[in-house]
Amino acid sequence: MSRQVKNILFVLVDQLRWDYLSCYGHPHLQTPNIDWLAKNGVRFEHAYVQSPVCGPSRASILTGRYMSSHGVMSNTDPMPLNEKLFGEYLRPLGLKTAVVGKTDHRPDLGALARYGIEPESEIGQRIIYRDFDPYDRFIGLHADPVAKPGLQYNDYLNEQGYDGDNPWQHWAQAVVDDDGNVRDGRIWSNSKYPSRIPDQHGESAYVTNRAIDFMEEMGEEPWCLSLGYYKPHWPYVANDPYHNMYPPETHIPVQRADVELEGHLYLRTHHQIRLSKVFSRKNARDEIVTAYMGLVKQMDDHFGRLLTHMRETGLIDNTLIVFTSDHGDNLGDHWCGEKDLPHDCSTRVPLLIYDPSPEADGTRGTTETRFAELIDILPTFIETAGGDVSEHRHLLEGRSLRPLLHGNQEMPWRDYVISEMDFSLREFGRLIGMPLDKPRGFMIRDEQWKYATFEGEEHPMLFDMHNDPHELNDLGDSPEHAAIRADLSAKLFHWLRNLKHRSTVSYDELGWRYGVEFEDNLGILIGWWEDEEGKNF
Amino acid sequence: MSRQVKNILFVLVDQLRWDYLSCYGHPHLQTPNIDWLAKNGVRFEHAYVQSPVCGPSRASILTGRYMSSHGVMSNTDPMPLNEKLFGEYLRPLGLKTAVVGKTDHRPDLGALARYGIEPESEIGQRIIYRDFDPYDRFIGLHADPVAKPGLQYNDYLNEQGYDGDNPWQHWAQAVVDDDGNVRDGRIWSNSKYPSRIPDQHGESAYVTNRAIDFMEEMGEEPWCLSLGYYKPHWPYVANDPYHNMYPPETHIPVQRADVELEGHLYLRTHHQIRLSKVFSRKNARDEIVTAYMGLVKQMDDHFGRLLTHMRETGLIDNTLIVFTSDHGDNLGDHWCGEKDLPHDCSTRVPLLIYDPSPEADGTRGTTETRFAELIDILPTFIETAGGDVSEHRHLLEGRSLRPLLHGNQEMPWRDYVISEMDFSLREFGRLIGMPLDKPRGFMIRDEQWKYATFEGEEHPMLFDMHNDPHELNDLGDSPEHAAIRADLSAKLFHWLRNLKHRSTVSYDELGWRYGVEFEDNLGILIGWWEDEEGKNF
């Protein structure tokens, strides 16, 4: 079979740090299946998310736009009705565009209600599923307080004999302690125990199976499948034997310094969050990292099954595979749990792209050090599917990575990446004493420096990524770095002024009179001056 | 009748400079009817539009939001589907919300098509008319090249015996020269002649009549009427006797300096636009200003008829009246025609508010020097109609002016105003050699200074409004003003970072867990750490 891209497999893992894969240098966590992509594709060394939290980051992926452009700033924000999403770009290019597993697009039901659009109507469904067709959609967290009926994974678990309304919570995320008691795996101190159910029925196994089902059902029809592994996101519940595969001696060291405890206002505020406090407790980090690594290993094993299937069916020769994550996980670094802040452990992610076509043969196994942003994924897919990215340049703020995949070294490229932070769903407003929607941050990272500015705090953060790659020495107040801060601040200001605020007119529509005299085509509109000889001015 | 606000009359004139009314100091143009509002209400000395072009400025009025927030950046940009408009706020407060005359809201028909919503369907109509009910809607310019069928004013003209498909153009905007020949009034050199039709059938007369019709039809039902006078916007065609009422000796002097011809890149670029060149021709400014002043006078006379009607019917005692304009007109100032640039002749407008209620008695006839932005109008109306502005604070970027109308001197108020400029529908892109959507500008004006930055040009503009009120001496390059520029630039950056990008979640929805522990209400979601004694952390 000739090698030519026909399908797209987009593997979007949740909360996977950039450095917890062996191809990104983890010394003890071997991920040979994911590494296969690095060996046979391009490994992006500097890939950044546009916001280190699920909803906003995924909204940037789905729209190809920065957070300030699409306006989805926290996990509970619905997607504005004017934004054009993934499926709306890719379906017209002939791709069946579907999702299996985790996704995070909240349709704006409030706007539908305002306009009198029934969610179940044809128009309503078209709006709601403008990201993907819902093959086996799963918002990720399915805990009782937020669970909605109809989760296919729950039906599957019921079929396997795991009873109840929400076996996701009461079986898959529940654990068995050393005495054989069932305990709630969502309590982080229970992460050392294995799930009540075996690996073969775990989430990562299930979504992998469903991806294989999808590929088989599609037959010869071209597709773009978004495969969302929810793990290693919390609840940190791994199935046996992954739950205790990685004892502390296999962990990479925590990166934190005492000086950070007296550090930036926003960092100190994050230290007050419950999950940050947990990571400062004895044993907690050890147990959680053990589970986290097990979950990564488990996901890699199942991803390997998928690759095997694709090799056996020949799909490996006509499918572009993109592997990435929506954000990282502090895991105790900087005395924090969760994500949210601009450090690499939160904002930097793995990005691996395997392109089977001969044009990519020259870059197989290479490392790309130029900056990637996850808003580049949608333009990359559009171009891969034969679309014209420039047609959408009034909306798309990312760039197609295809030239990089095909070895173009000369193309002018971006000098920096941007990530935006919103703290409205944390307790920052209350803790800092600001209105709850005010605490926000903007990060810019260029080749050597990372700068971040935060609302309500005049001091920025500044890190020297060459000499302090673990970002422990904040130079935000250092007098000798004033010029560097001013330069990065000016770049951030320039970036913000040039966001694509105009979303309803394409460049071509706007440009219909560009370079021509308007009234030469249309007749008198604005008018002109005519002198006594009848000459126009 | 007790004086209490029940209705709102919003008079939005097109292209009326702040200084072409006698209450704003014009020495020769007497506008006693508009002046009545100043004598009996509050005259805002420093009112600024959020963009000096019709479409974007009016979009800011309709949404209460800045241009970068709503994304309507030029006259041809449709309003994004997610934006909430005027009527959607005011109708639920019990006001019939209608428009007579000029308005400028382009529904996003492209988005409707994408979602399969028929414009004529109930949903489509709800989306299209979310600004106003279309009592007698008129987009303003109705020239053949852009005219759409169904203009009620054309039906009216036909009924009066003015024939043809578009009597707006061929009668109302056509003139009769000294020899009795019919000529096209849209040719600016014909502005010295009167319209073919008498004043009683002119646009300003017509929309005034229709406003009276509306008020009569409404009876006791409360209403908010947006009355849009299109004149003195070009075509500068006044009806007899207004066309030659103001000879050059009644004009205020043109404000331009030779140094401006070698000035800022964007100013020099504007000089190359046809309409700017016209104003540099002998006689042109004199003839156009004569017509412009006549059109203002004509509008004032008809507005006087409306006031008389309101006095006779008692409406004057229960109607809040707001009078303003969407932007100014250079009229040759700074060697420019049209508007577009940050100078006061374009961005500053008259704003007069008459509140009949006793609470406003203390401010009648006063001048308010605190800054107003036209995004304040919608919040003012919401509050006047008994609504709760804070409920919409995730969207509204303007502030209610009601405290100012009621004499509150202590309220903390804004220190600066913002106006944004987009040059995509001018020839700037081609002239400067940039992609056509790139030329943009941001203006900030505080008490003493006006600063504006423009894309693709490192030099900003800076004017000292105290010592150079006509803005002829650009200090954008002056070394001794570097600190002032840095301060204003920092404020602009701060403003831009704090725009209300989040549009789909209200502050209250966002805040449901503000100040409470999320999991105390809902049960386990994110989880926690439990120690051996069962204590949670």
Side-chain angles (χ1 to χ4, degrees):
Chain A
M1 189 189 269
S2 74
R3 293 181 290 128
Q4 194 184 345
V5 178
K6 178 180 158 198
N7 310 302
I8 297 172
L9 173 63
F10 175 37
V11 184
L12 181 52
V13 184
D14 207 311
Q15 199 141 329
L16 176 60
R17 282 170 63 122
W18 73 276
D19 53 354
Y20 274 62
L21 298 173
S22 41
C23 59
Y24 276 89
H26 199 290
H28 304 292
L29 178 54
Q30 296 304 314
T31 48
N33 299 298
I34 296 164
D35 290 4
W36 184 89
L37 299 174
K39 288 205 192 79
N40 293 278
V42 175
R43 186 177 71 85
F44 286 82
E45 179 71 8
H46 297 118
Y48 283 84
V49 298
Q50 275 51 77
S51 179
V53 182
C54 301
S57 177
R58 287 164 183 265
S60 283
I61 293 169
L62 287 175
T63 58
R65 288 154 61 76
Y66 292 104
M67 184 166 102
S68 284
S69 295
H70 57 64
V72 176
M73 298 180 41
S74 77
N75 283 340
T76 59
D77 291 8
M79 177 70 75
L81 220 50
N82 61 314
E83 291 294 323
K84 189 168 173 176
L85 305 189
F86 223 77
E88 294 181 283
Y89 288 100
L90 298 177
R91 287 177 193 133
L93 298 172
L95 296 179
K96 170 83 171 174
T97 304
V99 63
V100 165
K102 159 92 183 203
T103 183
D104 205 339
H105 163 229
R106 279 166 178 73
D108 188 359
L109 300 178
L112 296 192
R114 253 169 70 209
Y115 294 151
I117 300 170
E118 293 290 338
E120 299 304 321
S121 69
E122 202 180 319
I123 293 168
Q125 294 285 295
R126 204 174 284 131
I127 291 172
I128 290 171
Y129 295 119
R130 62 195 204 272
D131 53 349
F132 309 109
D133 295 327
Y135 186 81
D136 197 333
R137 192 188 183 92
F138 183 12
I139 206 74
L141 187 67
H142 201 75
D144 282 347
V146 296
K148 288 182 182 142
L151 183 71
Q152 285 157 281
Y153 180 47
N154 268 347
D155 295 341
Y156 166 84
L157 290 173
N158 283 158
E159 284 162 20
Q160 309 311 313
Y162 307 115
D163 60 1
D165 285 345
N166 190 7
W168 179 88
Q169 173 174 318
H170 301 283
W171 285 93
Q173 311 303 326
V175 299
V176 183
D177 70 13
D178 297 333
D179 302 324
N181 301 314
V182 173
R183 302 180 68 170
D184 196 324
R186 300 172 308 160
I187 306 296
W188 294 36
S189 39
N190 291 332
S191 296
K192 61 190 168 202
Y193 304 116
S195 166
R196 281 183 88 179
I197 65 174
D199 168 49
Q200 73 189 93
H201 299 316
E203 268 180 67
S204 293
Y206 175 75
V207 297
T208 303
N209 295 344
R210 294 297 286 147
I212 292 171
D213 290 346
F214 174 82
M215 291 177 186
E216 288 185 340
E217 282 175 33
M218 289 306 295
E220 290 304 304
E221 196 184 332
W223 46 264
C224 171
L225 175 65
S226 178
L227 169 58
Y229 286 107
Y230 182 48
K231 302 295 185 183
H233 194 293
W234 47 259
Y236 298 117
V237 175
N239 305 79
D240 187 56
Y242 297 101
H243 70 292
N244 65 359
M245 204 177 258
Y246 295 98
E249 56 269 28
T250 66
H251 298 181
I252 53 179
V254 68
Q255 298 296 338
R256 58 192 179 199
D258 287 345
V259 67
E260 291 182 294
L261 296 171
E262 306 295 322
H264 191 278
L265 171 67
Y266 273 66
L267 179 58
R268 280 185 281 119
T269 304
H270 206 288
H271 294 160
Q272 298 179 56
I273 288 176
R274 173 185 261 172
L275 274 304
S276 291
K277 289 178 183 163
V278 163
F279 276 98
S280 301
R281 292 184 63 81
K282 190 170 175 312
N283 296 335
R285 179 177 190 273
D286 285 350
E287 292 182 17
I288 294 167
V289 171
T290 292
Y292 184 87
M293 288 173 67
L295 288 167
V296 176
K297 180 68 179 176
Q298 183 175 11
M299 185 260 296
D300 183 70
D301 281 348
H302 288 289
F303 179 62
R305 285 202 295 122
L306 184 62
L307 284 181
T308 299
H309 173 81
M310 293 177 73
R311 283 188 203 103
E312 287 169 1
T313 53
L315 283 170
I316 203 77
D317 286 332
N318 63 14
T319 304
L320 182 88
I321 306 177
V322 172
F323 179 99
T324 191
S325 173
D326 58 352
H327 55 79
D329 189 326
N330 271 73
L331 293 176
D333 286 357
H334 315 290
W335 310 96
C336 295
E338 287 282 67
K339 42 260 178 179
D340 305 279
L341 289 168
H343 306 99
D344 268 13
C345 52
S346 295
T347 56
R348 186 174 169 192
V349 287
L351 175 63
L352 300 159
I353 306 186
Y354 161 75
D355 178 344
S357 66
E359 291 87 341
D361 285 350
T363 61
R364 296 193 193 289
T366 62
T367 293
E368 176 59 76
T369 57
R370 284 174 284 184
F371 286 120
E373 296 180 306
L374 294 199
I375 52 174
D376 298 339
I377 289 172
L378 177 54
T380 303
F381 289 178
I382 292 170
E383 201 167 83
T384 298
D388 177 6
V389 172
S390 76
E391 198 182 299
H392 310 289
R393 66 190 180 282
H394 64 298
L395 294 174
L396 297 173
E397 296 177 320
R399 301 180 58 172
S400 169
L401 298 171
R402 226 163 162 243
L404 280 55
L405 300 176
H406 292 179
N408 186 327
Q409 293 299 327
E410 279 70 47
M411 171 160 279
W413 201 249
R414 61 169 68 91
D415 298 321
Y416 56 77
V417 289
I418 299 284
S419 201
E420 297 182 68
M421 294 152 278
D422 173 87
F423 301 88
S424 58
L425 288 192
R426 300 290 184 195
E427 303 163 69
F428 275 55
R430 183 171 63 80
L431 294 169
I432 297 180
M434 291 169 68
L436 94 123
D437 60 346
K438 278 290 163 207
R440 283 186 67 182
F442 294 85
M443 176 201 106
I444 178 167
R445 193 234 141 127
D446 70 8
E447 201 265 334
Q448 182 170 4
W449 303 97
K450 184 186 284 184
Y451 172 90
T453 179
F454 297 85
E455 297 316 301
E457 169 57 50
E458 68 177 295
H459 300 287
M461 291 183 189
L462 180 71
F463 299 105
D464 179 343
M465 305 302 287
H466 283 187
N467 298 303
D468 175 31
H470 293 299
E471 305 166 275
L472 297 170
N473 183 23
D474 184 350
L475 302 168
D477 283 333
S478 153
E480 59 264 45
H481 294 88
I484 288 161
R485 289 193 298 271
D487 172 60
L488 291 164
S489 175
K491 282 177 174 148
L492 200 50
F493 187 20
H494 175 267
W495 164 80
L496 201 49
R497 292 197 309 269
N498 284 276
L499 287 178
K500 301 198 172 178
H501 299 111
R502 165 187 270 131
S503 65
T504 57
V505 184
S506 75
Y507 192 94
D508 290 340
E509 287 172 276
L510 195 67
W512 66 277
R513 71 174 173 134
Y514 180 59
V516 302
E517 270 300 309
F518 189 47
E519 297 184 315
D520 289 350
N521 291 338
L522 277 189
I524 303 172
L525 204 67
I526 299 180
W528 54 73
W529 189 268
E530 200 174 274
D531 73 4
E532 283 163 24
E533 283 76 46
K535 204 168 157 224
N536 297 342
F537 296 92
Chain B
M1 188 187 269
S2 73
R3 293 180 289 129
Q4 194 185 345
V5 178
K6 178 181 157 196
N7 310 302
I8 297 172
L9 173 63
F10 175 37
V11 184
L12 181 53
V13 183
D14 206 311
Q15 199 141 328
L16 175 61
R17 282 171 64 123
W18 72 278
D19 53 354
Y20 273 63
L21 298 173
S22 40
C23 59
Y24 276 89
H26 198 291
H28 304 292
L29 178 55
Q30 295 305 315
T31 48
N33 299 299
I34 297 163
D35 290 4
W36 184 89
L37 298 174
K39 286 204 193 81
N40 293 277
V42 175
R43 186 177 71 86
F44 286 83
E45 179 71 9
H46 297 119
Y48 282 84
V49 298
Q50 274 51 77
S51 178
V53 182
C54 301
S57 176
R58 287 163 182 266
S60 284
I61 293 169
L62 288 174
T63 58
R65 287 155 61 76
Y66 292 104
M67 184 167 103
S68 284
S69 295
H70 58 63
V72 175
M73 298 179 41
S74 76
N75 283 340
T76 59
D77 291 9
M79 177 70 76
L81 221 49
N82 61 313
E83 291 295 324
K84 190 168 172 175
L85 306 188
F86 223 79
E88 294 181 283
Y89 289 99
L90 299 178
R91 286 178 194 131
L93 298 172
L95 296 179
K96 169 83 172 174
T97 304
V99 63
V100 164
K102 158 92 184 204
T103 183
D104 205 339
H105 162 228
R106 280 169 178 71
D108 189 359
L109 300 178
L112 296 193
R114 253 168 72 208
Y115 293 150
I117 300 170
E118 293 290 338
E120 300 304 320
S121 69
E122 201 179 322
I123 294 168
Q125 295 284 296
R126 203 175 284 130
I127 292 172
I128 291 171
Y129 295 118
R130 63 194 205 272
D131 53 348
F132 308 109
D133 296 327
Y135 185 81
D136 197 333
R137 193 189 182 92
F138 183 12
I139 206 74
L141 186 68
H142 201 76
D144 282 348
V146 295
K148 287 180 183 145
L151 183 71
Q152 284 157 279
Y153 179 47
N154 268 346
D155 295 341
Y156 167 84
L157 290 173
N158 283 158
E159 284 161 19
Q160 309 310 315
Y162 307 114
D163 60 0
D165 284 345
N166 190 6
W168 180 89
Q169 174 173 320
H170 300 284
W171 285 95
Q173 311 304 325
V175 299
V176 184
D177 71 11
D178 296 333
D179 301 325
N181 301 315
V182 174
R183 302 179 70 170
D184 196 325
R186 300 171 309 157
I187 306 297
W188 294 36
S189 39
N190 292 333
S191 296
K192 63 189 167 201
Y193 303 116
S195 166
R196 280 182 88 179
I197 64 175
D199 168 48
Q200 72 189 93
H201 300 315
E203 268 178 69
S204 294
Y206 175 76
V207 296
T208 304
N209 295 342
R210 295 296 286 147
I212 292 171
D213 291 347
F214 174 81
M215 292 178 185
E216 289 186 338
E217 282 175 33
M218 288 306 294
E220 290 305 303
E221 196 183 331
W223 47 262
C224 170
L225 175 65
S226 178
L227 169 57
Y229 286 107
Y230 183 46
K231 302 294 183 181
H233 195 293
W234 46 259
Y236 298 116
V237 175
N239 304 81
D240 187 52
Y242 297 101
H243 71 292
N244 65 359
M245 206 177 258
Y246 294 98
E249 57 268 28
T250 66
H251 299 179
I252 54 178
V254 68
Q255 297 297 340
R256 57 193 180 199
D258 287 346
V259 68
E260 290 182 295
L261 295 171
E262 306 296 322
H264 192 277
L265 171 66
Y266 273 66
L267 179 58
R268 281 186 279 120
T269 303
H270 206 287
H271 294 159
Q272 298 178 55
I273 289 176
R274 175 185 259 173
L275 274 303
S276 291
K277 289 180 184 163
V278 163
F279 276 98
S280 301
R281 292 185 63 81
K282 191 169 173 316
N283 296 335
R285 180 178 189 272
D286 285 350
E287 293 181 16
I288 294 167
V289 171
T290 292
Y292 184 86
M293 289 173 67
L295 288 167
V296 176
K297 180 68 179 174
Q298 183 175 11
M299 185 258 296
D300 183 69
D301 280 348
H302 287 289
F303 178 62
R305 284 201 298 122
L306 184 61
L307 285 181
T308 298
H309 173 80
M310 294 177 73
R311 283 187 204 104
E312 288 169 359
T313 53
L315 284 169
I316 204 77
D317 286 332
N318 65 13
T319 304
L320 182 89
I321 306 178
V322 172
F323 179 100
T324 191
S325 172
D326 58 351
H327 56 78
D329 189 326
N330 271 74
L331 293 177
D333 286 358
H334 315 290
W335 309 96
C336 295
E338 287 282 66
K339 43 261 178 178
D340 306 278
L341 290 168
H343 306 98
D344 268 12
C345 53
S346 296
T347 56
R348 186 175 169 190
V349 288
L351 175 63
L352 300 160
I353 306 185
Y354 160 76
D355 178 344
S357 66
E359 292 87 341
D361 285 349
T363 60
R364 297 195 192 288
T366 62
T367 293
E368 176 59 79
T369 55
R370 284 175 283 183
F371 286 120
E373 295 181 305
L374 295 199
I375 52 174
D376 298 339
I377 290 172
L378 177 55
T380 303
F381 289 177
I382 292 170
E383 204 168 80
T384 297
D388 177 5
V389 171
S390 77
E391 197 183 297
H392 311 289
R393 66 191 181 282
H394 63 298
L395 293 174
L396 297 174
E397 295 176 320
R399 301 181 58 173
S400 169
L401 298 171
R402 229 167 160 239
L404 280 55
L405 300 176
H406 292 179
N408 186 328
Q409 293 299 327
E410 280 69 47
M411 170 160 279
W413 201 248
R414 62 169 68 90
D415 298 321
Y416 56 75
V417 289
I418 299 284
S419 201
E420 298 183 69
M421 295 152 275
D422 174 88
F423 301 89
S424 58
L425 288 192
R426 301 289 183 194
E427 302 164 71
F428 274 55
R430 184 171 62 79
L431 293 170
I432 297 180
M434 290 168 72
L436 95 123
D437 59 346
K438 278 289 163 209
R440 283 186 69 181
F442 296 84
M443 176 201 106
I444 179 168
R445 193 234 141 128
D446 70 9
E447 202 266 334
Q448 181 170 3
W449 302 98
K450 184 185 283 182
Y451 172 89
T453 178
F454 297 86
E455 298 315 302
E457 169 58 49
E458 68 177 295
H459 300 288
M461 289 183 190
L462 180 70
F463 298 105
D464 180 341
M465 304 303 286
H466 283 186
N467 299 302
D468 176 31
H470 294 299
E471 304 165 277
L472 297 169
N473 183 22
D474 184 351
L475 301 168
D477 283 334
S478 154
E480 58 263 47
H481 294 87
I484 288 161
R485 289 192 298 270
D487 172 60
L488 291 163
S489 175
K491 283 179 174 146
L492 199 52
F493 186 21
H494 177 266
W495 165 81
L496 201 49
R497 292 196 309 269
N498 285 275
L499 287 178
K500 302 198 171 179
H501 298 112
R502 164 187 272 131
S503 65
T504 57
V505 184
S506 76
Y507 192 94
D508 290 340
E509 287 173 278
L510 195 67
W512 67 276
R513 70 174 174 133
Y514 179 61
V516 302
E517 270 299 309
F518 189 47
E519 297 183 315
D520 290 350
N521 291 339
L522 277 188
I524 304 171
L525 204 68
I526 299 179
W528 53 74
W529 189 269
E530 199 173 276
D531 74 5
E532 283 164 23
E533 284 75 46
K535 203 168 158 224
N536 297 343
F537 296 91

